[in-house]
């Protein structure tokens, strides 16, 4: 949920970028101060940015539980719930950068396993059904679509939380990718799905830069799986997955197509 662009407040102002019970990010001028209750998150972020072969923010200092980073130039590819104003070439450049990351040597720490993902999906679908947060048929249909993501994958170096607000571009060039606290070995299709969540119309542009090997059916499955498993966390931390273009809209949109496309 963090963002680190250059549309900055004055240096005498403190902007709360995000704040909830797990972490907070503050901004003063070109400096972002991130404070995380889980010390491992900042450690992973620092290590991942040092290993990633694509542009990342400069680390100014790290004194647990605080991490200070510099803003990256440019603007985010877009925001969830609104059309992306970025060009097709910018999306293709993002795809090329992601491919470079996925082709890099794996980070030397473990990621989520297939069993972890399947267990989380079962737990969160059970909660959605029991709570009545969404109609049962929406949960069950998306649970069926999500099955395509539950297959063995060859681990890649993934960002792990590649939301559209975490990729910055200037014109048609990627200037920085932020918020690396969930980087790990994982399913490459997960990153592609998270970046295009709610922006399915930009998948062709993204894959034009990414190149061969992407599985569109698995990407679509991750759209459903991510939206199902993230909804409770978003609600409990003060975010609204039912905002226009967000997770609930993604889940409902799958109902209009019997193939889940």
């Amino acid at each position: 949920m963090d963002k680190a662009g250059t549309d900055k407040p004055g240096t005498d102002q403190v902007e709360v970028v995000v704040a909830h019970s797990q972490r907070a990010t503050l901004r003063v001028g070109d400096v972002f101060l991130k404070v995380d209750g889980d010390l491992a998150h900042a450690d992973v972020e620092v290590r991942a940015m040092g290993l990633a072969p694509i542009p990342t923010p400069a680390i100014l200092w790290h004194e647990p539980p605080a991490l200070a980073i510099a803003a990256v130039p440019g603007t985010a590819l877009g925001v969830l719930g609104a059309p992306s104003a970025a060009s097709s070439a910018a999306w293709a450049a993002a795809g090329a950068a992601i491919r470079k990351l996925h082709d890099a040597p794996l980070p030397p720490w473990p990621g989520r396993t297939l069993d972890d993902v399947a267990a989380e999906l079962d737990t969160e679908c059970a909660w959605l059904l029991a709570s009545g947060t969404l109609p049962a048929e929406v949960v069950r249909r998306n649970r069926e679509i999500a099955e395509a993501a539950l297959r063995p994958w060859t681990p890649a170096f993934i960002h792990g939380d590649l939301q559209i607000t975490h990729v910055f571009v200037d014109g048609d060039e990627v200037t920085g990718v932020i918020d690396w606290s969930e980087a790990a070995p994982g399913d490459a299709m997960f990153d592609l799905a998270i970046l295009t969540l709610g922006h399915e119309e930009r998948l062709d542009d993204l894959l034009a830069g990414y190149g061969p090997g992407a599985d569109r059916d698995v990407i679509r499955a991750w759209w459903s799986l991510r939206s199902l498993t993230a909804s409770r966390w978003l609600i409990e931390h003060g975010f609204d997955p039912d905002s226009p273009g967000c997770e609930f809209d993604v889940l409902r949109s799958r109902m209009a197509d019997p193939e889940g496309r």
Side-chain angles (χ1 to χ4, degrees):
M1 296 298 173
D2 299 342
K3 56 182 181 179
T6 55
D7 184 12
K8 61 185 179 182
T11 55
D12 59 342
Q13 299 177 6
V14 177
E15 175 191 2
V16 179
V17 178
V18 64
H20 50 74
S21 60
Q22 292 181 343
R23 67 181 63 94
T25 300
L26 307 177
R27 180 175 190 172
V28 182
D30 281 335
V31 177
F32 286 81
L33 181 64
K34 306 177 71 172
V35 181
D36 200 307
D38 187 340
L39 300 183
H41 285 160
D43 182 61
V44 166
E45 183 157 13
V46 170
R47 295 173 68 191
M49 287 193 290
L51 294 171
I54 60 178
T56 63
I59 298 170
L60 303 177
W61 51 265
H62 179 210
E63 294 290 341
L67 170 65
I69 63 173
V72 297
T75 57
L77 270 178
V79 296
L80 200 57
S84 168
S87 67
S88 294
W91 276 88
I98 298 166
R99 185 54 176 262
K100 189 174 183 179
L101 175 68
H102 290 170
D103 287 345
L106 296 178
W109 56 85
R112 291 197 302 167
T113 68
L114 177 58
D115 288 343
D116 293 336
V117 174
E120 181 185 27
L121 179 61
D122 288 342
T123 297
E124 296 308 316
C125 285
W127 181 85
L128 287 167
L129 289 169
S131 67
T133 303
L134 283 167
E137 61 269 23
V138 174
V139 177
R140 293 184 178 123
R141 176 58 184 141
N142 278 277
R143 176 68 177 80
E144 292 173 357
I145 296 169
E147 282 289 335
L150 300 179
R151 86 282 176 235
W153 59 72
T154 300
F157 187 164
I158 68 168
H159 178 278
D161 190 23
L162 200 64
Q163 301 176 49
I164 192 170
T165 54
H166 292 167
V167 179
F168 281 74
V169 295
D170 186 1
D172 298 337
E173 296 184 3
V174 174
T175 54
V177 178
I178 67 169
D179 202 6
W180 291 81
S181 62
E182 296 183 47
D187 182 7
M189 298 304 101
F190 178 77
D191 272 352
L192 299 175
I194 299 311
L195 186 55
T196 53
L197 186 75
H199 291 82
E200 292 91 338
E201 75 282 356
R202 306 310 293 264
L203 182 60
D204 286 346
D205 293 334
L206 184 73
L207 296 186
Y210 187 80
D215 188 321
R216 291 172 182 266
D217 288 338
V218 173
I219 291 170
R220 294 184 182 104
W222 274 117
W223 289 336
S224 290
L225 198 157
R226 169 71 171 199
S227 297
L228 289 168
T229 57
S231 293
R232 174 163 52 159
W233 186 95
L234 291 168
I235 292 168
E236 291 178 347
H237 289 82
F239 301 100
D240 184 7
D242 202 19
S243 296
C246 294
E247 285 79 6
F248 285 4
D249 272 358
V250 171
L251 294 171
R252 287 188 287 257
S253 71
R254 304 279 80 82
M255 305 298 290
D257 188 333
E259 300 299 323
R261 297 180 183 274

